[in-house]
Amino acid sequence: MPEKNPETHVIDFRAAEQLLAARDPRGAVKLLDSVIGAHPENTAARLLRARAFFAAAQLRPAELEFELVLEREPDNAFAHFALARTFQRAGRPEQATRHFRLAAALDPKPEYLRAARFEDRDGQDRDGEARG
C-alpha cells in the first residue's frame, strides 16, 4: 500500500468526521488510526477518535484518549465534559462529577452547568435555595 501524504490525512480526518456523524464510529476509528499513527501529536484527531470510541461503546479506549487530550489541553471544557460522560456511562459517578464540574467551570454552557449539578447533599444550590 502506498504511503499516505499529509493531504490524504486531512481527507481521512474529514471522512472520519462524516462517518461519525453518519453513526459509523468504527469506520471513523479505522481512518483515524492512520492519521494518528502519522501525527500522534494531533489533538484534534485524538479528540475525534475519543468521540468515536465513546460512540462505539468502547469506554476504556475513549477514556484514555480523552485523558491524553486533557494532558495536552487541560482547559478543554468539551474534553472534560466528554470524559465525564464516559465515566458516567462506565458507572463511575464520582469521577464523572469532577469532570462535569471542571467543564462547567471552564465554559458555563447550560448543558455543562446542568450536568455539573452544583448543589449540596441536601438538594440545595449554593445560594441555599431548594432546587426543583
Side-chain angles (χ1 to χ4, degrees), residues 93-111:
E94 296 83 17
Q95 290 169 296
T97 298
R98 177 177 181 271
H99 286 279
F100 280 138
R101 290 183 174 182
L102 285 167
L106 290 166
D107 185 356
K109 286 182 178 180
E111 179 182 13

Side-chain angles (χ1 to χ4, degrees), residues 8-75:
T8 306
H9 292 133
V10 171
I11 292 167
D12 286 348
F13 179 85
R14 296 295 177 214
E17 287 178 318
Q18 294 300 316
L19 286 172
L20 186 57
R23 300 180 191 258
D24 182 3
R26 293 180 192 279
V29 168
K30 285 180 185 177
L31 285 175
L32 291 165
D33 285 344
S34 67
V35 174
I36 291 169
H39 306 281
E41 75 291 347
N42 188 315
T43 305
R46 289 194 174 274
L47 186 57
L48 186 59
R49 186 164 72 170
R51 291 176 48 218
F53 280 137
F54 180 84
Q58 296 179 14
L59 300 182
R60 183 65 179 148
E63 176 187 339
L64 294 173
E65 287 290 348
F66 285 129
E67 287 175 341
L68 198 144
V69 168
L70 287 169
E71 283 177 22
R72 296 175 183 180
E73 296 179 4
D75 61 344

